[in-house]
Amino acid sequence: MDSRSFVSDVNRLGFCLGFLFLCNIIIHAGASIHEYRNEAFTPQFNSFFFHGGSEGLYASKVHDEATSEEKSYNGKSFIRFESVTFRRTKDSTDKQNDMQQKTGLVEAIIVEIKDRERIGGSYLNSDLICCTPDLAKDGSCKVGEVIIHQNLDNPDWPKRIQTFFDGKNEEAKMLQTVEINSTGMYYLYFMFCDPQLKGTIIKGRTVWRNPEGYLPGKMTPLMTFYGFMSLAYLVLGLIWFLRFVQFWKDILQLHYHITAVIALGMCEMALWYFEYANFNSTGTRPMSITLWTVTFSAVKKTVSRLLLLVVSMGYGVVRPTLGGITSKVLLLGMIYFLASEALELVEHLGNINDFSGKTKLFLVLPVALLDACFILWIFSSLSKTLEKLQMRRSMAKLELYRKFTNSLAVSVLLSIAWIGYELYFNATDPLSELWQKAWIIPAFWTLLAYLLLMVICVLWAPSNNPTRYAYSEETGDEFDEGISLTGSGVMVAGDVATRLERKERKTTTASDHVFGLGEDLEEDKRE
């Protein structure tokens, strides 16, 4: 096989798989608390608006009037305005009349996404958002207000909340709670039509709550999913532990690495579940809990990738140690951990808020590139391992790695199919109308990682005959493992072939491969 064509093929495959991992690490964060930090309004047609957030909310389950505020939360879904303050410029206040009580209007518009066409003058054959004297002639809107075409079946929606500035005051506050009685994706906009309010800024926050808690609607199913995955890792860990204890005298070094990954996965899923449960009950994400959760997640991702890499290199099967490339493997793992930790912290630490696209891209790209390096190195090492096993005619080990290769190939095909579905999902749902199904996007990658770990556990399960798959000095019986060679002539032929094979390998340099220069030469020296 031509080494150049092989390198070219592996490069293409590696970068393709690196792109697949890109969608794995991009998580679309929702928000139960939206904070506004002295942000400005944006001109749009004849209005000024500010996007206050969007969230999938389930309908309230109860509608009774409770005597206490705490009881009123149970089973109710709402959007609460907490200290939302509008501050206008000094020039704006100077233009106001001292005798005028209400001198400026800011409106909060809450609309379910299916009713988005009811905002603005589209039903009046106009692109304007604010009502003008001409549009107000037929009484369909009021001058200076946002045009809203009310729903006849539900005349209170889209919801309009009005706040006026008093006299020459520079600040106006909005304090109100809006109950949600219909399941849907809701958008909040703050808008004003008066040009004299240009330069007004907004600060404060809004709290969005579902009937079962503060967890955003599209994240709610993930809490249940992480609960089930915790149990799945627990079952896998128990089965693996029983096998580990049963054959503890025949344990290989690789088995300890697999045990570590199972333990990390179990802790990661449990921590995510409890972190989501805490978020659901309080509406906030304490730094200590979230820090532990994202750190375990970053460690588990790193160790999982290192496990795939060392298994692909044939660690414990065709080589006793990683030799001189150990430092390179550890360096790549450390860099990946730092990049993944940074991304996870920014996405999850504190209250979830809208995550800007530029910030996300800046943090996602390094992780995606490192994933591409892992994939490229894994498939390059796997190809070399298969080549060695076939050259040595270690049939049992070769069959083991063929099964492992087939499993990776299936996972790649599933990933490609899922990427296609994810691209289609995002392209056909730009406004998150399918928010109730969005949780399956990140859940798939978690499930795929679990299935790959299961495959490794099955293929490298502890047994009473570990030497069949473990590294050993080459002997004549490696030409067909498990078959007894009784004839003396066959034994002599086997010895001669083995010696010739060793000599041939010792003359082979590592320049035929992409990674690990000198890797094969170092191994042969050890042998």
Side-chain angles (χ1 to χ4, degrees):
M1 181 177 181
D2 185 13
S3 61
R4 292 185 178 179
S5 62
F6 169 73
V7 170
S8 178
D9 293 339
V10 170
N11 280 331
R12 287 195 292 269
L13 179 60
F15 283 110
C16 176
L17 294 174
F19 174 73
L20 298 181
F21 272 90
L22 180 63
C23 291
N24 180 21
I25 55 181
I26 296 179
I27 303 176
H28 302 284
S32 67
I33 298 178
H34 291 264
E35 294 186 359
Y36 320 121
R37 302 180 178 89
N38 296 319
E39 298 178 73
F41 286 71
T42 303
Q44 184 71 27
F45 293 106
N46 65 337
S47 69
F48 295 82
F49 85 99
F50 174 79
H51 181 210
S54 59
E55 196 56 62
L57 296 174
Y58 294 95
S60 297
K61 293 184 178 180
V62 296
H63 307 283
D64 59 319
E65 293 295 332
T67 57
S68 67
E69 183 180 6
E70 185 65 28
K71 289 182 179 180
S72 67
Y73 290 169
N74 296 331
K76 285 196 173 184
S77 181
F78 60 78
I79 302 174
R80 185 173 65 237
F81 297 79
E82 292 188 350
S83 301
V84 176
T85 303
F86 308 103
R87 184 178 183 85
R88 57 183 174 178
T89 63
K90 189 68 170 59
D91 293 339
S92 176
T93 59
D94 292 339
K95 298 177 182 179
Q96 304 301 328
N97 191 325
D98 293 335
M99 302 300 295
Q100 193 172 359
Q101 182 180 2
K102 297 181 179 181
T103 55
L105 171 63
V106 180
E107 297 180 280
I109 308 297
I110 304 176
V111 57
E112 190 177 352
I113 194 61
K114 67 180 182 179
D115 294 330
R116 60 186 178 273
E117 297 298 331
R118 295 182 178 275
I119 304 298
S122 59
Y123 77 102
L124 299 174
N125 297 321
S126 173
D127 293 331
L128 300 178
I129 296 177
C130 292
C131 187
T132 63
D134 292 337
L135 295 176
K137 289 180 180 179
D138 59 357
S140 57
C141 61
K142 294 182 180 179
V143 176
E145 294 184 358
V146 175
I147 303 172
I148 296 180
H149 182 206
Q150 297 292 344
N151 189 340
L152 296 179
D153 296 332
N154 191 3
D156 293 332
W157 288 87
K159 180 70 69 176
R160 182 203 305 267
I161 304 172
Q162 296 183 331
T163 298
F164 291 89
F165 286 91
D166 293 331
K168 287 191 174 183
N169 289 345
E170 293 184 11
E171 290 188 352
K173 292 187 177 181
M174 180 180 291
L175 298 172
Q176 191 164 343
T177 299
V178 178
E179 185 175 344
I180 305 298
N181 295 319
S182 177
T183 299
M185 171 59 68
Y186 288 86
Y187 278 71
L188 169 63
Y189 294 99
F190 296 98
M191 309 178 75
F192 63 82
C193 301
D194 189 353
Q196 291 185 1
L197 293 179
K198 184 177 181 180
T200 298
I201 58 176
I202 180 175
K203 64 179 180 179
R205 70 177 192 171
T206 53
V207 178
W208 307 55
R209 191 183 192 278
N210 273 293
E212 303 298 333
Y214 291 97
L215 199 63
K218 58 185 175 183
M219 295 174 65
T220 301
L222 282 175
M223 184 173 69
T224 305
F225 172 76
Y226 287 135
F228 279 115
M229 289 305 300
S230 298
L231 294 177
Y233 270 98
L234 179 61
V235 172
L236 178 62
L238 288 175
I239 296 175
W240 180 263
F241 178 74
L242 292 176
R243 296 280 297 187
F244 198 94
V245 172
Q246 183 181 1
F247 304 104
W248 67 273
K249 292 183 179 180
D250 302 310
I251 293 300
L252 306 176
Q253 189 67 29
L254 184 62
H255 291 147
Y256 291 100
H257 293 265
I258 297 174
T259 304
V261 174
I262 296 175
L264 286 172
M266 193 185 308
C267 293
E268 180 196 17
M269 293 297 103
L271 283 172
W272 275 122
Y273 174 79
F274 287 114
E275 202 268 348
Y276 272 44
N278 177 76
F279 184 21
N280 190 50
S281 61
T282 64
T284 59
R285 310 181 82 173
M287 181 180 296
S288 58
I289 298 177
T290 307
L291 183 61
W292 275 104
T293 305
V294 300
T295 300
F296 261 93
S297 181
V299 170
K300 189 258 182 179
K301 288 179 180 179
T302 303
V303 176
S304 297
R305 283 156 176 76
L306 291 178
L307 176 63
L308 284 175
L309 181 58
V310 299
V311 167
S312 300
M313 288 178 173
Y315 173 68
V317 178
V318 299
R319 56 193 309 166
T321 66
L322 297 181
I325 62 173
T326 302
S327 57
K328 297 178 182 179
V329 173
L330 294 178
L331 178 61
L332 179 60
M334 181 60 67
I335 296 174
Y336 183 86
F337 168 75
L338 294 175
S340 179
E341 177 81 352
L343 176 63
E344 295 278 356
L345 284 175
V346 173
E347 283 190 332
H348 298 288
L349 196 59
N351 297 326
I352 292 186
N353 290 284
D354 293 336
F355 194 31
S356 66
K358 291 183 179 179
T359 304
K360 180 182 291 185
L361 184 63
F362 177 77
L363 293 171
V364 163
L365 282 179
V367 182
L369 291 175
L370 290 170
D371 270 320
C373 291
F374 264 114
I375 292 297
L376 183 63
W377 202 350
I378 286 172
F379 274 85
S380 175
S381 301
L382 193 58
S383 175
K384 291 189 292 182
T385 300
L386 290 172
E387 184 180 347
K388 284 183 180 181
L389 292 174
Q390 190 157 9
M391 181 176 62
R392 297 175 183 178
R393 300 181 65 182
S394 302
M395 305 312 295
K397 296 176 183 179
L398 182 61
E399 182 65 21
L400 174 71
Y401 268 86
R402 279 176 177 169
K403 291 179 180 179
F404 179 61
T405 303
N406 291 338
S407 300
L408 285 180
V410 170
S411 68
V412 169
L413 293 177
L414 289 175
S415 299
I416 293 174
W418 192 256
I419 288 294
Y421 170 76
E422 188 171 346
L423 293 174
Y424 170 79
F425 184 90
N426 292 328
T428 57
D429 187 38
L431 300 177
S432 299
E433 294 180 81
L434 301 177
W435 58 276
Q436 291 175 285
K437 300 179 180 178
W439 68 275
I440 65 176
I441 301 298
F444 169 82
W445 300 107
T446 301
L447 185 60
L448 181 62
Y450 177 78
L451 294 176
L452 279 176
L453 180 58
M454 281 187 61
V455 169
I456 292 178
C457 289
V458 171
L459 294 178
W460 277 271
S463 67
N464 56 3
N465 186 23
T467 56
R468 183 174 177 83
Y469 296 139
Y471 172 82
S472 61
E473 292 289 339
E474 292 88 352
T475 57
D477 60 1
E478 274 198 42
F479 282 81
D480 194 357
E481 297 183 14
I483 299 177
S484 176
L485 302 179
T486 58
S488 59
V490 176
M491 291 293 293
V492 171
D495 290 339
V496 172
T498 300
R499 290 182 184 135
L500 290 174
E501 178 185 331
R502 288 181 180 178
K503 183 176 181 180
E504 181 181 353
R505 285 202 310 276
K506 288 181 179 179
T507 59
T508 303
T509 65
S511 59
D512 295 332
H513 304 301
V514 182
F515 290 97
L517 295 179
E519 172 186 339
D520 291 338
L521 188 57
E522 290 177 6
E523 180 184 344
D524 289 332
K525 287 179 179 179
R526 289 193 303 272
E527 295 174 356

